[in-house]
């Protein structure tokens, strides 16, 4: 019996981000950020996960499902370069690619009831996952690799100020992740208006904040 080799969605991510805004730029930048991989019915097989408990991390191959476009461009303007410099699409991790595929390395927290609980994910809630592969530190970690863009464009973490009033509103198991996300500066790289109020949804809350110099201040937390 032959098997249809057409690319299939095997799972979807369950995360605290209903929209794209404020999602970390890369996996692992907010290590305490939790998410869950829920398999599609066809792929809900315990046998498929046998042995995965022997690995600490996995690769996720997924789709930029909210960034599809009819045409592609050979050059893009990466936010990491301030949004005003062009680079070849294959020299970036822009979602606007010939094939809208993303790649993330995440940590396995536990495997339970056929679901994989992970941390450090940079995916929006509902993101389709096409494949999962074990992360092999002996070959996947290249310590001699270089990244000149990172040296040029990586920002220093922001100081995060949250009043006790707002801290009380946020569940304790989400507070650490929220602080990590905010310290990464969720604003678009080309925006630096200290009077502007930004907002995003996280874990069922709307978070609003302002950034002045190197300090991000949360000004509102609403359920």
């Amino acid at each position: 019996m032959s098997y249809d080799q057409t690319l299939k969605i095997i799972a979807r991510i369950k995360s605290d981000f209903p929209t794209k805004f404020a999602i970390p730029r890369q996996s692992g930048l907010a290590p305490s950020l939790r998410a869950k991989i829920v398999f599609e019915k066809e792929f809900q097989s315990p046998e498929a996960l046998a042995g995965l408990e022997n690995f600490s991390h996995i690769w996720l191959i997924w789709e930029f499902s909210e960034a599809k476009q009819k045409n592609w461009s050979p050059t893009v303007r990466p936010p990491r370069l301030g949004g005003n410099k062009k680079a070849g699409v294959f020299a970036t991790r822009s979602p606007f690619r010939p094939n809208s595929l993303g790649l993330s390395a995440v940590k396995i927290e536990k495997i339970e009831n056929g679901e994989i609980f992970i941390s450090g994910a940079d995916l929006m809630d509902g993101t389709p996952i096409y494949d999962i592969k074990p992360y092999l530190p002996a070959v996947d970690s290249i310590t001699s690799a270089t990244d000149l863009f990172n040296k040029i464009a990586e920002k220093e973490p922001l100081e995060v100020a949250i009043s006790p009033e707002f801290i009380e509103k946020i569940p304790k198991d989400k507070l650490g992740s929220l602080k990590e996300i905010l310290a990464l500066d969720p604003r678009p790289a080309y925006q630096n208006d200290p009077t502007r109020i930004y907002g995003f949804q996280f874990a069922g809350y709307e978070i609003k904040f302002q950034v002045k110099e190197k300090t991000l201040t949360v000004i509102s937390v609403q359920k």
Side-chain angles (χ1 to χ4, degrees):
M1 184 176 179
S2 63
Y3 177 70
D4 182 5
Q5 293 293 319
T6 303
L7 200 64
K8 296 180 176 66
I9 297 171
I10 65 166
R12 292 184 184 273
I13 202 79
K14 181 66 177 175
S15 78
D16 287 321
F17 292 100
T19 64
K20 295 182 292 182
F21 192 89
I23 294 177
R25 298 181 296 278
Q26 303 292 338
S27 58
L29 292 179
S32 68
L33 190 61
R34 298 294 193 265
K36 180 172 65 173
I37 298 171
V38 180
F39 287 88
E40 299 290 280
K41 185 176 181 179
E42 179 183 355
F43 301 99
Q44 292 175 357
S45 170
E47 290 85 357
L49 300 179
L52 194 59
E53 70 279 0
N54 295 310
F55 300 92
S56 64
H57 292 70
I58 51 177
W59 288 109
L60 302 180
I61 300 173
W62 49 277
E63 181 185 19
F64 288 103
S65 53
E66 297 300 308
K68 291 183 178 181
Q69 55 185 13
K70 293 182 179 180
N71 301 308
W72 74 283
S73 171
T75 60
V76 295
R77 298 179 186 271
R80 291 268 300 281
L81 298 182
N84 53 13
K85 295 181 180 179
K86 287 187 176 183
V89 65
F90 299 128
T92 76
R93 295 193 175 186
S94 167
F96 303 108
R97 323 182 66 78
N99 293 304
S100 300
L101 296 178
L103 179 68
S104 298
V106 298
K107 182 180 179 182
I108 299 174
E109 294 296 331
K110 64 179 178 178
I111 301 172
E112 187 174 88
N113 298 324
E115 298 175 337
I116 306 174
F117 294 76
I118 58 175
S119 59
D122 56 339
L123 285 75
M124 189 177 75
D125 187 56
T127 294
I129 297 174
Y130 287 108
D131 203 1
I132 296 170
K133 300 178 185 292
Y135 179 95
L136 307 178
V139 293
D140 289 343
S141 178
I142 304 174
T143 57
S144 61
T146 59
D147 173 10
L148 295 181
F149 282 163
N150 182 63
K151 292 178 181 178
I152 294 170
E154 190 59 55
K155 294 181 178 180
E156 291 292 326
L158 297 175
E159 293 290 332
V160 177
I162 308 179
S163 69
E165 172 192 358
F166 296 145
I167 287 178
E168 290 181 0
K169 292 184 177 182
I170 302 166
K172 290 183 179 180
D173 63 335
K174 302 295 182 182
L175 183 59
S177 299
L178 178 60
K179 288 181 177 179
E180 289 178 347
I181 293 162
L182 295 172
L184 293 171
D185 193 349
R187 300 174 300 167
Y190 52 85
Q191 292 184 4
N192 190 28
D193 181 357
T195 66
R196 182 165 181 170
I197 297 174
Y198 300 85
F200 65 97
Q201 296 179 47
F202 173 73
Y205 293 83
E206 184 177 29
I207 313 295
K208 293 185 178 181
F209 65 91
Q210 287 181 306
V211 179
K212 296 181 180 179
E213 297 182 353
K214 295 183 179 180
T215 300
L216 182 150
T217 302
V218 174
I219 61 173
S220 175
V221 175
Q222 296 293 332
K223 185 72 173 176

